[in-house]
Amino acid sequence: MMSSFVPGLELSRAFYREVVGPLLGGVAHGAALIGPGSEVLGFDTARSADHDWGPRVLVFVAPGMVEGVREQVWSRLPAEFGGYPTAFGSDRHPVRPGVEVAEFGPWARCQLGFDPRGEITVEDWRSAPWQRLAELTSGEVFHDGLGELAAARAGLRWYPPDVWRYVLACQWVRIAQEEAFPGRAAEVGDELGSLLAAGRLVRDLMRLSLLMRRRYPPYGKWLGSAFKRLSGSAELGEALSAALRAGDWRAREEHLCVAYRRVASVQNRLGLAEPVEGSVRPFFARPFRVIGGMRFAEALMGAVSDPRVRELPLVGTVDQFADSTDALTRSDRARSLAAAVR
């Protein structure tokens, strides 16, 4: 790995300023580093540079100009910039210049399944994977000469209040469905099953914490990194880590209960719903302690006023009921899934 690694966002910003911008001359355009790529979320390291990584810029132009502008830029790019090739790829993607030229509307529809410059419907929000939303609202806009990037990113920045309540409610439902499982699995001698259930709950609590803080949870590789960036998450992270390290289900449950109480407290401080008593309690008459996630889901949905949101099933956005990379990275598949799960 190169010791002189430069983060991709920094490299691409300089690439636009020193190379791509001047090559565009007087062409009206937008330029950014958004969309797929660990450097967009700021998670790239020297390891990232081994494939599909280098100086990159997305250039957005008016309709009918893509081919001409692409030729104008590609034909004059230097072979290297900042010590990195300006054309790169991998065994999955052909080598090509790191400057992509497109119209914003079609590009955004490919990423999300809809054009965020117009009205974003409830179904649009349900079908948009968190990773894609994070990619389009992170990174950086280098130039907004067409006046569309800033407005589109602002519209995607976060869910409308009632959709946010719905998403949080559905995340609490996921917790409610499995919160007794670590103890129940261990009770019948299934230690591996207890660990697996605890891991699923830890993942859901991490995602819930990010959602409470108005952060789109990234996909699995970067979930822990994104969680660690949340201010004030250290103690919750310690409880979640301890739950995964615990050698028996009772200790595992104790650490999960610490996490439950902390997350419940954050939920109540948000002011999105009537406060819910945040202590743990027995799961019916069984010897397992839980937070009672449905109590929080019901409170949140009780505060929803939008009838379009109130009538939705408590299954959530596509990330909350689907876990296939091949589905979540294809906007057409994600929209089909969201439309089918009603």
Side-chain angles (χ1 to χ4, degrees):
M1 295 190 296
M2 298 177 61
S3 59
S4 58
F5 174 74
V6 177
L9 182 56
E10 181 180 336
L11 179 68
S12 296
R13 183 189 303 120
F15 184 47
Y16 172 74
R17 183 178 64 248
E18 298 175 27
V19 176
V20 179
L23 289 179
L24 287 165
V27 175
H29 68 280
L33 184 65
I34 56 177
S38 57
E39 65 269 45
V40 172
L41 301 183
F43 295 135
D44 57 326
T45 67
R47 180 71 67 194
S48 308
D50 64 358
H51 71 285
D52 285 335
W53 191 97
R56 292 200 300 123
V57 178
L58 272 164
V59 175
F60 297 107
V61 295
M65 297 187 63
V66 170
E67 296 296 331
V69 173
R70 181 186 294 131
E71 174 61 24
Q72 175 179 332
V73 174
W74 282 14
S75 64
R76 300 164 63 193
L77 282 177
E80 291 188 354
F81 179 80
Y84 295 93
T86 60
F88 43 87
S90 68
D91 56 343
R92 293 186 178 183
H93 303 113
V95 174
R96 60 185 296 161
V99 179
E100 179 181 352
V101 183
E103 295 175 32
F104 180 75
W107 181 86
R109 281 193 292 272
C110 181
Q111 302 298 312
L112 293 169
F114 60 89
D115 187 338
R117 295 175 300 178
E119 178 189 3
I120 304 175
T121 68
V122 171
E123 287 308 312
D124 289 336
W125 286 117
R126 283 193 70 227
S127 68
W130 290 330
Q131 177 71 22
R132 289 295 192 225
L133 290 167
E135 291 169 349
L136 266 74
T137 55
S138 299
E140 185 176 322
V141 173
F142 306 136
H143 182 68
D144 194 14
L146 298 178
E148 55 190 4
L149 291 175
R153 280 161 55 92
L156 294 169
R157 186 67 60 190
W158 196 244
Y159 296 116
D162 276 352
V163 177
W164 187 18
R165 291 183 176 94
Y166 170 74
V167 172
L168 291 177
C170 293
Q171 196 64 19
W172 277 111
V173 169
R174 286 182 58 90
I175 291 167
Q177 291 168 342
E178 300 196 6
E179 55 188 339
F181 289 2
R184 180 61 176 139
E187 187 181 52
V188 297
D190 182 8
E191 180 64 14
L192 181 58
S194 176
L195 280 168
L196 177 61
R200 286 173 59 87
L201 286 165
V202 165
R203 182 190 188 208
D204 278 334
L205 286 164
M206 291 169 66
R207 285 177 153 190
L208 178 60
S209 297
L210 285 159
L211 291 165
M212 287 177 172
R213 300 289 292 277
R214 298 169 63 94
R215 301 289 189 277
Y216 296 118
Y219 77 128
K221 180 167 63 171
W222 303 122
L223 179 60
S225 298
F227 177 79
K228 285 196 301 183
R229 289 182 178 180
L230 290 178
S231 62
S233 66
E235 291 186 15
L236 176 58
E238 289 171 4
L240 297 176
S241 296
L244 296 177
R245 292 194 305 265
D248 65 83
W249 77 267
R250 293 188 184 278
R252 197 169 296 132
E253 180 185 84
E254 180 61 36
H255 294 301
L256 284 172
C257 285
V258 171
Y260 291 146
R261 288 190 289 264
R262 293 191 68 83
V263 175
S265 177
V266 174
Q267 171 70 68
N268 285 331
R269 290 200 302 271
L270 287 176
L272 292 172
E274 289 296 318
V276 178
E277 204 280 315
S279 63
V280 296
R281 62 219 41 237
F283 184 70
F284 296 102
R286 299 180 181 184
F288 315 127
R289 289 180 297 163
V290 299
I291 190 66
M294 280 304 301
R295 299 181 301 129
F296 295 88
E298 290 167 356
L300 285 160
M301 291 306 296
V304 170
S305 59
D306 188 334
R308 297 168 299 176
V309 178
R310 292 177 64 180
E311 67 184 19
L312 292 173
L314 286 178
V315 293
T317 67
V318 66
D319 285 276
Q320 293 174 298
F321 58 77
D323 197 21
S324 164
T325 299
D326 288 330
L328 295 175
T329 55
R330 282 272 302 269
S331 61
D332 55 341
R333 292 172 179 167
R335 288 186 74 84
S336 294
L337 281 169
V341 181
R342 290 282 304 182

